[in-house]
């Protein structure tokens, strides 16, 4: 339904936005697991895949490709 899984990968807590119970369960998991060192380290490593410099380079590459 969205691009969030592409960005959040397996380090985000997803839930059905139409379900209050699903939201509650995801929040409970985030609160119980979210500060565990192995979870924190995994999110830090995942975040290294993203940067403004990388975004700019890839955007410029697409513009050059489209412009010919």
């Amino acid at each position: 339904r969205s691009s969030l899984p592409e960005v959040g990968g397996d380090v985000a807590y997803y839930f059905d936005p139409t379900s209050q119970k699903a939201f509650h369960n995801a929040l409970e998991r985030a609160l119980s697991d979210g500060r565990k060192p192995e979870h924190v380290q995994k999110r830090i490593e995942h975040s290294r895949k993203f940067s403004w410099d990388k975004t700019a380079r890839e955007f410029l590459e697409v513009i050059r490709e489209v412009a010919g």
Side-chain angles (χ1 to χ4, degrees):
R1 287 186 174 181
S2 73
S3 64
L4 293 179
E6 181 181 349
V7 175
D10 64 348
V11 298
Y13 297 93
Y14 301 103
F15 59 92
D16 178 352
T18 65
S19 169
Q20 183 178 5
K21 183 168 180 63
F23 171 71
H24 175 80
N25 290 340
L27 187 57
E28 286 292 324
R29 282 193 328 270
L31 291 172
S32 67
D33 296 342
R35 294 185 190 267
K36 291 179 182 175
E38 62 271 18
H39 289 274
V40 171
Q41 186 60 37
K42 192 172 182 180
R43 287 192 304 273
I44 289 170
E45 290 170 12
H46 183 74
S47 73
R48 290 186 178 131
K49 297 176 186 177
F50 305 95
S51 74
W52 285 114
D53 288 339
K54 180 181 177 186
T55 300
R57 280 191 307 273
E58 291 179 0
F59 182 73
L60 183 57
E61 184 180 313
V62 169
I63 294 299
R64 285 181 175 152
E65 183 179 320
V66 170

PDB file of all heavy atoms in Angstrom, residues 19-39:
ATOM      1  N   SER A  19      -6.811  -0.986  11.953  1.00  0.00           N
ATOM      2  CA  SER A  19      -7.059  -1.810  13.134  1.00  0.00           C
ATOM      3  C   SER A  19      -6.418  -1.207  14.370  1.00  0.00           C
ATOM      4  O   SER A  19      -5.193  -1.118  14.476  1.00  0.00           O
ATOM      5  CB  SER A  19      -6.499  -3.219  12.900  1.00  0.00           C
ATOM      6  OG  SER A  19      -6.489  -3.954  14.105  1.00  0.00           O
ATOM      7  N   GLN A  20      -7.249  -0.845  15.316  1.00  0.00           N
ATOM      8  CA  GLN A  20      -6.749  -0.300  16.576  1.00  0.00           C
ATOM      9  C   GLN A  20      -5.933  -1.362  17.316  1.00  0.00           C
ATOM     10  O   GLN A  20      -4.893  -1.058  17.894  1.00  0.00           O
ATOM     11  CB  GLN A  20      -7.917   0.175  17.441  1.00  0.00           C
ATOM     12  CG  GLN A  20      -7.482   0.827  18.726  1.00  0.00           C
ATOM     13  CD  GLN A  20      -8.670   1.336  19.532  1.00  0.00           C
ATOM     14  OE1 GLN A  20      -9.817   1.127  19.189  1.00  0.00           O
ATOM     15  NE2 GLN A  20      -8.394   2.021  20.612  1.00  0.00           N
ATOM     16  N   LYS A  21      -6.383  -2.603  17.275  1.00  0.00           N
ATOM     17  CA  LYS A  21      -5.671  -3.683  17.953  1.00  0.00           C
ATOM     18  C   LYS A  21      -4.296  -3.903  17.327  1.00  0.00           C
ATOM     19  O   LYS A  21      -3.304  -4.097  18.037  1.00  0.00           O
ATOM     20  CB  LYS A  21      -6.485  -4.973  17.915  1.00  0.00           C
ATOM     21  CG  LYS A  21      -5.834  -6.123  18.654  1.00  0.00           C
ATOM     22  CD  LYS A  21      -6.803  -7.264  18.827  1.00  0.00           C
ATOM     23  CE  LYS A  21      -6.194  -8.434  19.551  1.00  0.00           C
ATOM     24  NZ  LYS A  21      -5.777  -8.185  20.898  1.00  0.00           N
ATOM     25  N   ALA A  22      -4.222  -3.860  16.000  1.00  0.00           N
ATOM     26  CA  ALA A  22      -2.938  -4.030  15.320  1.00  0.00           C
ATOM     27  C   ALA A  22      -1.980  -2.903  15.692  1.00  0.00           C
ATOM     28  O   ALA A  22      -0.784  -3.137  15.914  1.00  0.00           O
ATOM     29  CB  ALA A  22      -3.131  -4.090  13.812  1.00  0.00           C
ATOM     30  N   PHE A  23      -2.503  -1.682  15.771  1.00  0.00           N
ATOM     31  CA  PHE A  23      -1.674  -0.548  16.187  1.00  0.00           C
ATOM     32  C   PHE A  23      -1.163  -0.760  17.601  1.00  0.00           C
ATOM     33  O   PHE A  23       0.026  -0.588  17.893  1.00  0.00           O
ATOM     34  CB  PHE A  23      -2.471   0.757  16.101  1.00  0.00           C
ATOM     35  CG  PHE A  23      -1.752   1.925  16.713  1.00  0.00           C
ATOM     36  CD1 PHE A  23      -0.634   2.461  16.092  1.00  0.00           C
ATOM     37  CD2 PHE A  23      -2.179   2.469  17.906  1.00  0.00           C
ATOM     38  CE1 PHE A  23       0.041   3.533  16.665  1.00  0.00           C
ATOM     39  CE2 PHE A  23      -1.508   3.538  18.481  1.00  0.00           C
ATOM     40  CZ  PHE A  23      -0.395   4.075  17.853  1.00  0.00           C
ATOM     41  N   HIS A  24      -2.047  -1.166  18.487  1.00  0.00           N
ATOM     42  CA  HIS A  24      -1.681  -1.414  19.887  1.00  0.00           C
ATOM     43  C   HIS A  24      -0.581  -2.478  19.968  1.00  0.00           C
ATOM     44  O   HIS A  24       0.406  -2.307  20.699  1.00  0.00           O
ATOM     45  CB  HIS A  24      -2.920  -1.845  20.680  1.00  0.00           C
ATOM     46  CG  HIS A  24      -2.618  -2.225  22.085  1.00  0.00           C
ATOM     47  ND1 HIS A  24      -2.435  -1.289  23.081  1.00  0.00           N
ATOM     48  CD2 HIS A  24      -2.467  -3.438  22.661  1.00  0.00           C
ATOM     49  CE1 HIS A  24      -2.171  -1.918  24.207  1.00  0.00           C
ATOM     50  NE2 HIS A  24      -2.196  -3.226  23.981  1.00  0.00           N
ATOM     51  N   ASN A  25      -0.738  -3.568  19.220  1.00  0.00           N
ATOM     52  CA  ASN A  25       0.244  -4.649  19.251  1.00  0.00           C
ATOM     53  C   ASN A  25       1.602  -4.188  18.716  1.00  0.00           C
ATOM     54  O   ASN A  25       2.640  -4.527  19.285  1.00  0.00           O
ATOM     55  CB  ASN A  25      -0.256  -5.851  18.449  1.00  0.00           C
ATOM     56  CG  ASN A  25      -1.417  -6.543  19.120  1.00  0.00           C
ATOM     57  OD1 ASN A  25      -1.648  -6.407  20.316  1.00  0.00           O
ATOM     58  ND2 ASN A  25      -2.174  -7.295  18.337  1.00  0.00           N
ATOM     59  N   ALA A  26       1.599  -3.413  17.641  1.00  0.00           N
ATOM     60  CA  ALA A  26       2.855  -2.900  17.087  1.00  0.00           C
ATOM     61  C   ALA A  26       3.533  -1.955  18.064  1.00  0.00           C
ATOM     62  O   ALA A  26       4.758  -1.998  18.244  1.00  0.00           O
ATOM     63  CB  ALA A  26       2.602  -2.199  15.755  1.00  0.00           C
ATOM     64  N   LEU A  27       2.746  -1.139  18.715  1.00  0.00           N
ATOM     65  CA  LEU A  27       3.293  -0.215  19.700  1.00  0.00           C
ATOM     66  C   LEU A  27       3.888  -0.972  20.884  1.00  0.00           C
ATOM     67  O   LEU A  27       4.985  -0.647  21.356  1.00  0.00           O
ATOM     68  CB  LEU A  27       2.207   0.755  20.171  1.00  0.00           C
ATOM     69  CG  LEU A  27       2.639   1.886  21.081  1.00  0.00           C
ATOM     70  CD1 LEU A  27       3.733   2.723  20.439  1.00  0.00           C
ATOM     71  CD2 LEU A  27       1.442   2.752  21.425  1.00  0.00           C
ATOM     72  N   GLU A  28       3.203  -1.997  21.333  1.00  0.00           N
ATOM     73  CA  GLU A  28       3.718  -2.830  22.432  1.00  0.00           C
ATOM     74  C   GLU A  28       5.048  -3.480  22.036  1.00  0.00           C
ATOM     75  O   GLU A  28       5.989  -3.498  22.831  1.00  0.00           O
ATOM     76  CB  GLU A  28       2.705  -3.908  22.814  1.00  0.00           C
ATOM     77  CG  GLU A  28       1.510  -3.388  23.572  1.00  0.00           C
ATOM     78  CD  GLU A  28       1.878  -2.902  24.969  1.00  0.00           C
ATOM     79  OE1 GLU A  28       2.763  -3.506  25.621  1.00  0.00           O
ATOM     80  OE2 GLU A  28       1.273  -1.906  25.410  1.00  0.00           O
ATOM     81  N   ARG A  29       5.128  -4.001  20.806  1.00  0.00           N
ATOM     82  CA  ARG A  29       6.382  -4.620  20.338  1.00  0.00           C
ATOM     83  C   ARG A  29       7.497  -3.584  20.274  1.00  0.00           C
ATOM     84  O   ARG A  29       8.630  -3.850  20.683  1.00  0.00           O
ATOM     85  CB  ARG A  29       6.191  -5.259  18.961  1.00  0.00           C
ATOM     86  CG  ARG A  29       5.479  -6.583  19.000  1.00  0.00           C
ATOM     87  CD  ARG A  29       5.574  -7.349  17.687  1.00  0.00           C
ATOM     88  NE  ARG A  29       5.624  -6.561  16.473  1.00  0.00           N
ATOM     89  CZ  ARG A  29       4.568  -6.164  15.772  1.00  0.00           C
ATOM     90  NH1 ARG A  29       3.348  -6.459  16.169  1.00  0.00           N
ATOM     91  NH2 ARG A  29       4.718  -5.459  14.676  1.00  0.00           N
ATOM     92  N   ALA A  30       7.179  -2.413  19.758  1.00  0.00           N
ATOM     93  CA  ALA A  30       8.187  -1.354  19.650  1.00  0.00           C
ATOM     94  C   ALA A  30       8.695  -0.948  21.028  1.00  0.00           C
ATOM     95  O   ALA A  30       9.900  -0.750  21.216  1.00  0.00           O
ATOM     96  CB  ALA A  30       7.611  -0.152  18.912  1.00  0.00           C
ATOM     97  N   LEU A  31       7.798  -0.839  21.982  1.00  0.00           N
ATOM     98  CA  LEU A  31       8.202  -0.441  23.324  1.00  0.00           C
ATOM     99  C   LEU A  31       8.985  -1.531  24.038  1.00  0.00           C
ATOM    100  O   LEU A  31       9.910  -1.248  24.796  1.00  0.00           O
ATOM    101  CB  LEU A  31       6.975  -0.041  24.147  1.00  0.00           C
ATOM    102  CG  LEU A  31       6.287   1.253  23.706  1.00  0.00           C
ATOM    103  CD1 LEU A  31       4.980   1.435  24.475  1.00  0.00           C
ATOM    104  CD2 LEU A  31       7.198   2.446  23.902  1.00  0.00           C
ATOM    105  N   SER A  32       8.648  -2.778  23.790  1.00  0.00           N
ATOM    106  CA  SER A  32       9.348  -3.865  24.481  1.00  0.00           C
ATOM    107  C   SER A  32      10.669  -4.230  23.804  1.00  0.00           C
ATOM    108  O   SER A  32      11.632  -4.581  24.475  1.00  0.00           O
ATOM    109  CB  SER A  32       8.457  -5.105  24.583  1.00  0.00           C
ATOM    110  OG  SER A  32       8.226  -5.665  23.312  1.00  0.00           O
ATOM    111  N   ASP A  33      10.734  -4.149  22.478  1.00  0.00           N
ATOM    112  CA  ASP A  33      11.934  -4.566  21.754  1.00  0.00           C
ATOM    113  C   ASP A  33      12.795  -3.411  21.279  1.00  0.00           C
ATOM    114  O   ASP A  33      13.982  -3.593  21.028  1.00  0.00           O
ATOM    115  CB  ASP A  33      11.551  -5.372  20.500  1.00  0.00           C
ATOM    116  CG  ASP A  33      10.856  -6.675  20.823  1.00  0.00           C
ATOM    117  OD1 ASP A  33      10.957  -7.134  21.977  1.00  0.00           O
ATOM    118  OD2 ASP A  33      10.214  -7.237  19.922  1.00  0.00           O
ATOM    119  N   GLY A  34      12.195  -2.262  21.129  1.00  0.00           N
ATOM    120  CA  GLY A  34      12.841  -1.147  20.442  1.00  0.00           C
ATOM    121  C   GLY A  34      14.160  -0.673  20.990  1.00  0.00           C
ATOM    122  O   GLY A  34      14.985  -0.172  20.248  1.00  0.00           O
ATOM    123  N   ARG A  35      14.409  -0.830  22.284  1.00  0.00           N
ATOM    124  CA  ARG A  35      15.659  -0.340  22.869  1.00  0.00           C
ATOM    125  C   ARG A  35      16.678  -1.449  23.126  1.00  0.00           C
ATOM    126  O   ARG A  35      17.761  -1.179  23.640  1.00  0.00           O
ATOM    127  CB  ARG A  35      15.377   0.420  24.151  1.00  0.00           C
ATOM    128  CG  ARG A  35      14.592   1.688  23.904  1.00  0.00           C
ATOM    129  CD  ARG A  35      14.425   2.476  25.180  1.00  0.00           C
ATOM    130  NE  ARG A  35      13.492   3.563  25.004  1.00  0.00           N
ATOM    131  CZ  ARG A  35      13.843   4.800  24.663  1.00  0.00           C
ATOM    132  NH1 ARG A  35      15.096   5.089  24.470  1.00  0.00           N
ATOM    133  NH2 ARG A  35      12.939   5.719  24.529  1.00  0.00           N
ATOM    134  N   LYS A  36      16.342  -2.660  22.756  1.00  0.00           N
ATOM    135  CA  LYS A  36      17.299  -3.751  22.919  1.00  0.00           C
ATOM    136  C   LYS A  36      18.486  -3.480  22.007  1.00  0.00           C
ATOM    137  O   LYS A  36      18.314  -3.110  20.836  1.00  0.00           O
ATOM    138  CB  LYS A  36      16.658  -5.083  22.573  1.00  0.00           C
ATOM    139  CG  LYS A  36      15.606  -5.512  23.574  1.00  0.00           C
ATOM    140  CD  LYS A  36      14.984  -6.842  23.174  1.00  0.00           C
ATOM    141  CE  LYS A  36      13.901  -7.231  24.171  1.00  0.00           C
ATOM    142  NZ  LYS A  36      13.191  -8.451  23.742  1.00  0.00           N
ATOM    143  N   PRO A  37      19.701  -3.652  22.519  1.00  0.00           N
ATOM    144  CA  PRO A  37      20.891  -3.305  21.729  1.00  0.00           C
ATOM    145  C   PRO A  37      20.929  -3.932  20.344  1.00  0.00           C
ATOM    146  O   PRO A  37      21.322  -3.266  19.380  1.00  0.00           O
ATOM    147  CB  PRO A  37      22.050  -3.816  22.596  1.00  0.00           C
ATOM    148  CG  PRO A  37      21.507  -3.779  23.983  1.00  0.00           C
ATOM    149  CD  PRO A  37      20.043  -4.119  23.863  1.00  0.00           C
ATOM    150  N   GLU A  38      20.501  -5.179  20.210  1.00  0.00           N
ATOM    151  CA  GLU A  38      20.551  -5.816  18.887  1.00  0.00           C
ATOM    152  C   GLU A  38      19.571  -5.157  17.919  1.00  0.00           C
ATOM    153  O   GLU A  38      19.849  -5.041  16.724  1.00  0.00           O
ATOM    154  CB  GLU A  38      20.283  -7.326  18.977  1.00  0.00           C
ATOM    155  CG  GLU A  38      18.920  -7.704  19.515  1.00  0.00           C
ATOM    156  CD  GLU A  38      18.829  -7.848  21.033  1.00  0.00           C
ATOM    157  OE1 GLU A  38      19.714  -7.347  21.755  1.00  0.00           O
ATOM    158  OE2 GLU A  38      17.871  -8.472  21.489  1.00  0.00           O
ATOM    159  N   HIS A  39      18.433  -4.675  18.423  1.00  0.00           N
ATOM    160  CA  HIS A  39      17.464  -3.986  17.565  1.00  0.00           C
ATOM    161  C   HIS A  39      17.974  -2.594  17.187  1.00  0.00           C
ATOM    162  O   HIS A  39      17.831  -2.167  16.044  1.00  0.00           O
ATOM    163  CB  HIS A  39      16.102  -3.868  18.263  1.00  0.00           C
ATOM    164  CG  HIS A  39      15.390  -5.170  18.386  1.00  0.00           C
ATOM    165  ND1 HIS A  39      14.595  -5.680  17.392  1.00  0.00           N
ATOM    166  CD2 HIS A  39      15.363  -6.073  19.393  1.00  0.00           C
ATOM    167  CE1 HIS A  39      14.102  -6.840  17.777  1.00  0.00           C
ATOM    168  NE2 HIS A  39      14.553  -7.102  18.989  1.00  0.00           N
TER     169      HIS A  39
END
